[in-house]
Amino acid sequence: MTSRIDNKRCLKMYEQMLTIRRFEEKAIELFEHNLIRGNIHPCIGQEAVSVGACTPLRRDDFMVNTHRGHGNCIAKGADLKRMMAELFGKSTGYCKGKGGSMHIADFEGGNLGANGIVGGGLPIAAGAGVGIQNRGTDQVAVCFFGDGATNQGTFHESLNLAALWKLPVIFVCENNLYGLSTPVREAVSADHISDRAMAYGIPGMSIDGNDIIAVHTKMVEAVERARAGEGPTLLDCITYRFFGHFTGDPGKGITYRSKEEMGQWLERCPIKRFRERLIKEKRITEKMAKTMEANVTASIEEAVQFAKESPLPLPEEALQDLFH
Amino acid sequence: MATTVIMPKLGLTMKEGTIEKWLKQEGDRVEKGEPLVEIITEKLNFQYESPASGILRKILHHEGKVVPVTTPIAIIAEEGEALPEFEAIKSEVPIEAPMPAAAVRKEMKEHRERIFASPVARKIAQEKGIDLSLLKGSGPGGRIIQTDVISAVERVQTEGARPSVPAQKPADKLIPLKGIRKIIARRMTESFRDTPHFYLSVEVDMSAVQDLKERVKDEVEKRAKVRLTLTDILVKVVASALKEHPIINSRIEGDQIRLLEEINVGVAIALDDGLIVPVVHRADQKSLTEIASVIRNLTRRARRGKLTLEDVGGGTFTLSNMGMLGIDKINPIINPPECSILGVGRTVEKPVVQGGEIKIKPMAWFSLSSDHRIVDGAAAGLFLNHIHKIIENPDLLLV
Amino acid sequence: MPERMISCAVAICEALTEEMARDEAIFIIGEDLVAHGGIFGQFKGLPERFPGRVIDSPISESCIVGAGLGAALTGMRPLVDMHFADFVTCAMDEIVNQTAKIRYMFGGQVKVPLVIWAPDGAGLSAAAHHSQSLESWFIHAPGLKVVVPSEPADVKGLLKAAIRDDDPVIFFQHKKLFAREGPVPEGEHIVPLGKAAVKRPGGSVTILTYGSGFYMSMEAANELAGMGIEAEVIDLRTLKPLDFETIADSIKKTNRAVVVHEACLSGGFGAEVSARINSELFDYLDAPVLRVAAKDVPIPFSPRLENFVLPKVEDVIKAVRQVTYR
C-alpha cells in the first residue's frame, strides 16, 4: 500500500511524526522544569492518527481539535515557534498567551481551535461543514475527538446532523482506549465506536491508528467522499497514549493501566513501525533517518529558544480581544 | 521687601469686610495704585488699590471670605523674595459662617441646589437637626459623610449654636445672597432685631411746599444746573428740624447716647441690586441749591457705582422718599446706628377739613421710625411735629 | 469539641464516609472516581469501602445529572460529581430546567435530594474552560440551593448538611482549597445551610465573601488592622438561601460593605447582595457597596494575564479604604 504514496509524502509524514514526538517530550521536560505552567496533555503514541489524518488535507480545509491537540496542530502545518510561545504564555504565541496548551488555534491555517470541553468541537465541525455547503466550495472539515466524547450528546447530535445534510465532515476518533482513567469498554456501549456510524447511516470503520498508511489511506477516501458531496465518515482510529492523561497524572497513567498493556503498545509504536517500514522499502537510510531526527531536534530547540526570548504579554492585554 | 496687604479699615465703624473679587491672581504683576481687590463693607462695594508694586505672590483669603479689618489678606513681593510666615488657611466645618461645598456646586450640571450626602449622614442630620447645606463634605466630590455630621453634632453641642432644619424647595429660582444684598440683609436684620422700633405718622398738607418749589425752582436751576425736587426740600426741612431736636441726631454707643455734632442727612436711593444711602454732609449749613446739587451728583454717581466711602459714611439721619413709587405710607427700618428714619409717602389730592370747611388739599403721610432706647414717643413726636410745622409753613426755614 | 488540622480533600472524604455509612440510599456518580479516587483524591478509599456505590460514568454530563435526578426522584440520595464546574454547561438543562424546577412544577409532590458537586476556580493556569466560578448562574434558578464553603470544617459540615437536605444543592469548592488545611472538629460536625459566619469581628467595615475570596479577605483584614481599620469578615458559606440577618447586623454596625468574590464582576453574586443591601439597608450606608471581583473576560492562560484578571488582596484593601474614606 505504501507504493501508492509518493516518497516525498512518506518522508514528510515521518518527519512530522518525529516532530510531534519531540515536541511533546520537550513540553513535558519544560513542564517539569516549571517553565510551562498549567498542564500538558501529551499525545505521545498517537502521532500516526494526527499525521495520517491531516496529510490529505489542504491548507484551506478546516480542523477542529481537542485538549490533547499538539499533534494535530503540527500535522495541520502550525509554526512550532508560535506553538511553543503559546505554551510559554508569551505574546508571540498563536493566542497571545490567552489560550495555552489546551486552546491553540491557527485560523489562517484552517485550525479552528482546540476545545477544553470534551465533545465541544463536534457541533463546531458540523457548523464548518454547513458553512462550506453554503459557500459551495469543495473544502472539508475534520473533527478530532477522543473515545470519551462519543458518549457526549454532542457526538450524536453532530453525527445525526452531518448525516442528514450530507455535510463534508470527517469525524476522526483518536481512540486511545481510555477516557482519563475509564477504559473504553466501561464507557462505550458498542463493541466498536465505528458501529455507531450505523445509527446515523454513514460509513464508519475502526482501523489501526498506529499504522500511518492505514490511517492515511482511509482518510484519503473519506476526504474524497466529502469533497464529492457524499457526506460524512466516522473513522475510529485505535491507538494508545504512552504518557498519562496529563502531566499531573502520576506514573504515566499506570494506576489504571497495566504494564503489560503498555508494553504491548510500545511495541506497536507508530514511529518505530513506520521507520522500520521506510528503511525496509529503501525510502530512507539509517543515516537519513538520523539526520532527520537531528533536524527535528534542532527545530524544536529553535522553537524553545524563540519562546524563551519572546516577551510576556502586558497585564492590560488581558482585557483585549473580548470583542471586535 | 515683601508687602503684606491687609483688610483695610475704610470707615470709622468698619469692623470687617468681605472679599468680593480678586482683580489680580496669584503670580500677576501689580503696580502701586492699581485696583487689586473688590471689598464690600457695610455701606458699599469698594475697589482697594494695591499698596505696593510687585508680584501678587500669595492670596491668603479667597473670595467670599469675611475678615476683620487689619487681617492680612495677601502678600506682594518680588520673584524669589522670602515671604513672611502666615498661618495656613484652615478649612473648618463652620456653622455660623456657612461655607458651601463650592467644588460640588461647580460640578453640578443641574441648576438646582443638590446636597451630596450619604444615607446614614442624612439620617443622623435629620435626627439631630443639622442643616446639611451648612456642612462641607469630606467625601469624594464633596460628599457629606457620617463623620462630617457627627463632628457637626459635637460642635453644636460644645458651641451651643442653634440648629435648624433646612427647608428645601428645589423647584424655586435661587438668587445667591451676596454682595450688597447680603450686606443689606445682615444690617436690616440686625437693625430690626436689636433696635426697638416705634412708629409715628402724620398726614401733612403739602400745598405750601409746592408753592415754595414753584417760586424758587427756576433760580435753583439756574445756579445748580439741576431741577429742584421735593426730596431736596425735605432734606433741608429735616436738617433744620434736627438742629432743634439734637436727641434725634444721635446714636447709641454701648450704654451711652452720643449726640452728634454734624447733621448729615442720608438720602435712600434704590439701585438695581439694592438700596444705597449717600449722605448730604452738614445739610443744615447748605442752601437749597447746594443740597440739590449734592444730591443730584450723589445720585448720578450711585447709579454708576462710583460712590466713595466718604459719600456713604457719617450719616446721622436718613430720609426715604417713597412718593415717586406711588406709595402712601412707609414705616421704614432704621438705618443703624442712627436714631431715626423718616419715610415720606406720595402727595395725593384729598378732601380735608380746615377751618370747618372741606377743602381739596395735596396731602402726604410722614412716618418717623425711632429707636426707643434713645427717644420716647414724646421726643419723637415733637420732632415730627416740628417737621410738620415747617412743611406747612416753609418760611420758618428762614428763622 | 477537640479539633485537628486536616485538608479539604480529607474533610470531604470523611463527610462522605460518615454519610454513606449512615444512609444506604447515598451513592456517588461521576468521572474517574474509582481508579483515581477522584482527580483530587477526595473519594479515596470510598469505592473499596462502599462497593457498587461509587460509580464511574462515561463523559456524559447531562446524563450524569439526569440520572442522578432520576434516582433522587425515586428514593435515592445521590451525589453527582461534575469533575470541573466548567462542565456544568453540558448539563444545564438537567440542572436548571429539571432539577431546580421539578418539585415546584409538580406541586410539591416529590422531594429532590440531589447534591451536585463541582470543583471550580482559577489561579492554576488552566485557561478558559477549566477555571470558572459559575455560582451566580444558579442563584438565578429558583429551586436550587447554592453552597460555596471556604474552610475544611465548613466543607465537611456543609457537605453533610447538603446530603441530608431534601432539596437540590449545588456545591462549589475551589480547586486550590483541596490541599488547604484547617481545624475540623472531631466527631459529628454539621454546618446548617443558610447560615453565614462572622469569622473576624470588626467595627470599621463589613467584608462579605465566600470561597477563595475568604482567604483574600482575611489577608486583607490583617493588613488593614495595621492601618487602624478593623474589618468584619463574614464568610457567607451558603449563597442561597442567604443569611441576610447576619449581613444586616454587621452593616448596621459598620455602615459600609465590600463584597469579595473570584467570579467576574458583571452579574456576579456581589451584584445581588449589593442590590439587596441597597434596598433593605439604605439608611445605614455611609458609602456605596463596592465589589471586588475578577475582570469581565474569560480566564486567560498566561500566568501574568491570569493574575491581572483575578482579584487580589490589594484590591480588597483599596476597596475598603474607599468605603472608609481612609
Side-chain angles (χ1 to χ4, degrees):
Chain A
M1 275 216 274
T2 335
S3 56
R4 288 201 217 141
I5 309 169
D6 68 62
N7 213 40
K8 196 168 158 203
R9 184 170 272 211
C10 280
L11 293 178
K12 177 145 190 258
M13 293 202 294
Y14 179 68
E15 192 186 12
Q16 275 202 326
M17 287 206 288
L18 268 180
T19 306
I20 294 170
R21 179 67 61 97
R22 293 289 168 264
F23 187 95
E24 296 294 72
E25 285 168 354
K26 193 49 136 180
I28 293 165
E29 187 193 310
L30 291 165
F31 175 85
E32 285 165 0
H33 283 94
N34 207 30
L35 287 166
I36 292 181
R37 313 298 281 276
N39 267 305
I40 313 280
H41 300 73
C43 63
I44 294 175
Q46 299 179 200
E47 297 86 352
V49 182
S50 303
V51 177
C54 287
T55 302
L57 299 177
R58 300 194 307 239
R59 188 168 162 80
D60 70 338
D61 288 325
F62 300 114
M63 174 188 84
V64 173
N65 205 355
T66 71
H67 56 280
R68 194 179 304 288
H70 296 167
N72 298 331
C73 282
I74 291 169
K76 192 67 174 66
D79 177 339
L80 293 180
K81 293 198 188 80
R82 290 183 70 186
M83 273 186 69
M84 196 56 89
E86 187 60 33
L87 263 61
F88 273 72
K90 299 292 181 91
S91 57
T92 50
Y94 268 110
C95 306
K96 302 180 194 164
K98 293 198 169 87
S101 161
M102 274 194 285
H103 302 292
I104 296 178
D106 172 21
F107 276 77
E108 278 171 22
N111 177 348
L112 303 183
N115 217 293
I117 304 295
V118 169
L122 286 140
I124 295 173
V130 171
I132 292 165
Q133 263 188 356
N134 261 275
R135 288 193 304 278
T137 62
D138 71 341
Q139 292 161 290
V140 300
V142 172
C143 185
F144 287 106
F145 52 94
D147 43 280
T150 64
N151 304 315
Q152 279 282 332
T154 47
F155 170 83
H156 300 276
E157 291 181 43
S158 304
L159 257 67
N160 183 59
L161 197 73
L164 215 54
W165 293 351
K166 288 196 161 15
L167 299 176
V169 183
I170 300 107
F171 294 101
V172 178
C173 181
E174 297 174 278
N175 183 356
N176 59 24
L177 307 178
Y178 288 87
L180 210 158
S181 67
T182 308
V184 83
R185 65 185 170 280
E186 287 174 24
V188 177
S189 60
D191 285 340
H192 308 282
I193 283 173
S194 55
D195 293 345
R196 290 182 163 171
M198 208 164 25
Y200 303 104
I202 62 172
M205 57 212 80
S206 293
I207 56 178
D208 179 357
N210 280 13
D211 176 354
I212 188 161
I213 301 304
V215 176
H216 180 271
T217 305
K218 289 299 170 196
M219 190 64 184
V220 166
E221 285 170 21
V223 168
E224 273 168 19
R225 244 203 309 278
R227 288 204 209 284
E230 289 167 24
T233 308
L234 172 62
L235 278 182
D236 172 25
C237 302
I238 300 171
T239 180
Y240 202 80
R241 52 172 161 81
F242 296 152
F243 200 76
H245 166 72
F246 67 154
T247 35
D249 194 351
K252 298 192 179 182
I254 288 299
T255 49
Y256 48 86
R257 301 186 297 183
S258 69
K259 277 194 179 141
E260 292 79 33
E261 191 182 74
M262 177 71 91
Q264 281 165 17
W265 279 95
L266 281 167
E267 279 301 302
R268 291 145 70 180
C269 169
I271 293 176
K272 184 161 157 277
R273 280 165 74 182
F274 198 45
R275 190 178 196 271
E276 282 165 7
R277 193 162 176 176
L278 288 172
I279 287 173
K280 192 168 155 203
E281 290 176 10
K282 294 191 172 32
R283 291 177 186 266
I284 197 175
T285 62
E286 274 286 350
K287 194 169 165 217
M288 275 168 74
K290 279 205 162 60
T291 309
M292 208 177 263
E293 279 146 30
N295 287 342
V296 165
T297 304
S299 61
I300 303 291
E301 278 307 323
E302 212 184 306
V304 173
Q305 211 41 47
F306 172 79
K308 279 183 175 168
E309 286 164 10
S310 287
L312 280 167
L314 295 170
E316 295 72 37
E317 284 177 42
L319 302 177
Q320 291 163 6
D321 298 320
L322 186 65
F323 292 116
H324 193 59
Chain B
M1 181 69 183
T3 304
T4 304
V5 181
I6 54 155
M7 172 61 71
K9 190 174 162 92
L10 299 168
L12 185 67
T13 56
M14 182 178 167
K15 290 200 178 57
E16 63 192 15
T18 305
I19 296 175
E20 172 69 357
K21 189 174 161 50
W22 281 100
L23 300 168
K24 292 280 184 185
Q25 299 308 317
E26 276 186 18
D28 288 348
R29 181 128 206 118
V30 297
E31 293 305 321
K32 184 169 172 182
E34 220 185 327
L36 177 64
V37 58
E38 252 177 48
I39 293 169
I40 292 188
T41 69
E42 289 183 344
K43 307 277 170 103
L44 51 48
N45 252 350
F46 182 78
Q47 280 197 354
Y48 182 55
E49 291 162 358
S50 180
S53 295
I55 309 257
L56 180 59
R57 294 281 299 279
K58 194 100 188 85
I59 289 175
L60 299 167
H61 290 281
H62 294 281
E63 291 167 6
K65 200 80 196 284
V66 180
V67 293
V69 296
T70 72
T71 305
I73 56 172
I75 304 172
I76 295 172
E78 285 307 322
E79 194 76 54
E81 241 186 293
L83 302 181
E85 298 274 310
F86 281 100
E87 207 181 41
I89 299 166
K90 284 189 277 211
S91 74
E92 301 172 320
V93 181
I95 293 181
E96 281 93 8
M99 196 151 53
V104 174
R105 297 229 171 107
K106 272 182 202 150
E107 281 170 15
M108 285 193 298
K109 297 198 171 80
E110 298 166 46
H111 290 297
R112 42 169 140 153
E113 208 167 287
R114 176 111 187 263
I115 295 172
F116 292 95
S118 79
V120 75
R122 282 183 193 275
K123 189 159 159 240
I124 299 172
Q126 195 177 52
E127 284 167 5
K128 302 286 182 186
I130 299 292
D131 182 351
L132 284 173
S133 68
L134 300 178
L135 300 189
K136 186 173 167 158
S138 58
R143 183 190 300 157
I144 297 168
I145 59 175
Q146 190 182 34
T147 46
D148 297 331
V149 180
I150 289 174
S151 303
V153 169
E154 282 162 9
R155 273 175 166 274
V156 166
Q157 282 164 357
T158 53
E159 290 176 20
R162 244 176 284 150
S164 61
V165 179
Q168 299 201 11
K169 287 184 189 168
D172 301 342
K173 186 173 181 236
L174 289 173
I175 300 163
L177 205 65
K178 59 177 202 159
I180 211 171
R181 194 77 251 145
K182 190 172 176 180
I183 291 178
I184 293 170
R186 189 165 58 80
R187 297 188 71 239
M188 290 298 103
T189 306
E190 277 169 19
S191 177
F192 198 70
R193 184 185 60 215
D194 296 338
T195 309
H197 283 53
F198 70 98
Y199 310 96
L200 303 173
S201 300
V202 66
E203 205 170 19
V204 173
D205 182 353
M206 301 296 279
S207 33
V209 161
Q210 282 179 346
D211 286 345
L212 171 66
K213 194 170 155 209
E214 279 308 302
R215 288 200 306 274
V216 303
K217 69 174 189 191
D218 293 333
E219 190 63 25
V220 168
E221 208 166 333
K222 198 169 92 179
R223 290 190 200 190
K225 311 280 188 287
V226 294
R227 290 203 23 210
L228 181 65
T229 67
L230 174 63
T231 302
D232 305 329
I233 299 171
L234 288 172
V235 168
K236 186 132 179 94
V237 167
V238 159
S240 176
L242 283 170
K243 213 157 170 188
E244 300 304 311
H245 299 266
I247 190 67
I248 306 289
N249 196 54
S250 66
R251 67 159 67 110
I252 235 187
E253 278 178 7
D255 56 354
Q256 56 193 17
I257 297 164
R258 183 186 286 273
L259 305 177
L260 299 160
E261 198 242 320
E262 286 182 20
I263 295 176
N264 304 326
V265 179
V267 178
I269 294 177
L271 298 178
D272 284 347
D273 52 345
L275 182 69
I276 203 148
V277 186
V279 174
V280 181
H281 291 267
R282 296 202 179 278
D284 58 307
Q285 292 166 15
K286 287 185 161 67
S287 67
L288 211 52
T289 310
E290 283 163 332
I291 290 172
S293 182
V294 164
I295 289 178
R296 223 61 78 248
N297 186 311
L298 285 170
T299 309
R300 194 176 355 112
R301 285 196 289 123
R303 297 234 147 81
R304 289 192 201 144
K306 295 256 187 264
L307 287 176
T308 66
L309 282 159
E310 269 284 312
D311 295 333
V312 296
T316 63
F317 186 94
T318 301
L319 170 70
S320 178
N321 183 359
M322 292 291 273
M324 47 280 222
L325 290 170
I327 301 299
D328 288 331
K329 210 177 190 187
I330 168 176
N331 287 324
I333 297 177
I334 294 165
N335 191 10
E338 295 164 9
C339 170
S340 298
I341 179 169
L342 181 68
V344 176
R346 65 179 176 150
T347 306
V348 173
E349 296 239 314
K350 281 185 179 181
V352 293
V353 178
Q354 282 179 3
E357 288 176 10
I358 294 179
K359 293 182 184 172
I360 308 291
K361 291 282 178 177
M363 303 298 287
W365 278 100
F366 280 57
S367 305
L368 182 74
S369 310
S370 301
D371 184 349
H372 215 313
R373 296 173 296 177
I374 303 176
V375 288
D376 297 333
L382 284 168
F383 174 70
L384 187 59
N385 221 14
H386 193 143
I387 291 178
H388 187 181
K389 254 204 333 233
I390 301 175
I391 295 281
E392 290 186 353
N393 187 8
D395 291 346
L396 289 171
L397 287 169
L398 298 166
V399 171
Chain C
M1 201 164 274
E3 292 178 336
R4 61 258 141 73
M5 294 293 280
I6 57 170
S7 69
C8 276
V10 172
I12 291 161
C13 222
E14 268 186 20
L16 291 169
T17 308
E18 287 164 24
E19 291 304 295
M20 287 174 83
R22 183 185 59 80
D23 188 346
E24 275 184 4
I26 301 170
F27 72 96
I28 305 172
I29 179 170
E31 296 155 23
D32 304 295
L33 305 183
V34 178
H36 266 182
I39 48 165
F40 301 103
Q42 69 276 22
F43 300 130
K44 209 161 164 191
L46 290 172
E48 295 80 13
R49 177 95 187 258
F50 306 102
R53 288 167 67 190
V54 179
I55 305 165
D56 266 353
S57 69
I59 307 175
S60 310
E61 288 81 6
S62 57
C63 203
I64 294 167
V65 176
L69 173 62
L73 293 176
T74 52
M76 303 303 284
R77 303 188 74 92
L79 181 137
V80 166
D81 174 17
M82 297 310 295
H83 202 97
F84 281 120
D86 310 72
F87 308 153
V88 296
T89 53
C90 302
M92 279 310 264
D93 186 78
E94 280 65 32
I95 298 171
V96 171
N97 276 341
Q98 315 302 334
T99 304
K101 294 177 171 66
I102 274 182
R103 176 176 162 80
Y104 181 88
M105 233 167 33
F106 299 150
Q109 285 183 53
V110 70
K111 61 186 187 194
V112 187
L114 176 67
V115 176
I116 300 170
W117 198 79
D120 69 357
L124 294 164
S125 305
H129 282 169
H130 293 77
S131 308
Q132 295 171 86
S133 295
L134 300 172
E135 65 279 0
S136 68
W137 289 0
F138 302 99
I139 309 298
H140 201 60
L144 285 177
K145 294 185 177 169
V146 181
V147 168
V148 192
S150 333
E151 297 189 288
D154 291 330
V155 170
K156 180 174 180 185
L158 281 167
L159 185 53
K160 286 170 73 90
I163 289 169
R164 295 182 191 205
D165 199 302
D166 284 341
D167 292 317
V169 179
I170 185 160
F171 196 109
F172 292 104
Q173 193 226 288
H174 202 288
K175 298 186 212 51
K176 272 183 158 178
L177 303 180
F178 278 107
R180 193 136 191 166
E181 288 196 349
V184 179
E186 303 249 18
E188 183 82 305
H189 171 66
I190 298 182
V191 174
L193 261 58
K195 202 84 194 69
V198 179
K199 294 218 168 151
R200 183 192 190 281
S204 311
V205 61
T206 300
I207 299 181
L208 302 170
T209 184
Y210 56 90
S212 61
F214 167 72
Y215 295 95
M216 238 189 293
S217 304
M218 289 299 276
E219 216 184 301
N222 282 338
E223 261 195 67
L224 287 163
M227 298 174 207
I229 300 174
E230 292 299 328
E232 180 148 287
V233 179
I234 299 182
D235 184 352
L236 296 174
R237 304 197 295 191
T238 304
L239 302 189
K240 204 155 192 219
L242 183 66
D243 179 1
F244 199 73
E245 203 184 317
T246 301
I247 296 173
D249 286 343
S250 180
I251 291 176
K252 283 178 184 171
K253 183 175 64 171
T254 65
N255 304 110
R256 61 212 79 234
V258 173
V259 188
V260 179
H261 57 58
E262 193 184 285
C264 66
L265 183 72
S266 295
F269 189 64
E272 164 65 25
V273 164
S274 166
R276 214 165 143 196
I277 292 170
N278 186 50
S279 61
E280 294 180 44
L281 298 170
F282 183 73
D283 287 312
Y284 293 94
L285 290 176
D286 192 38
V289 177
L290 293 185
R291 301 168 285 164
V292 175
K295 299 192 176 37
D296 284 334
V297 287
I299 304 295
F301 161 73
S302 190
R304 183 190 264 197
L305 297 179
E306 186 179 35
N307 190 54
F308 180 75
V309 167
L310 295 176
K312 296 171 262 303
V313 174
E314 51 257 39
D315 297 322
V316 181
I317 291 173
K318 191 168 161 202
V320 166
R321 291 186 72 176
Q322 247 181 286
V323 300
T324 52
Y325 303 105
R326 308 262 284 270

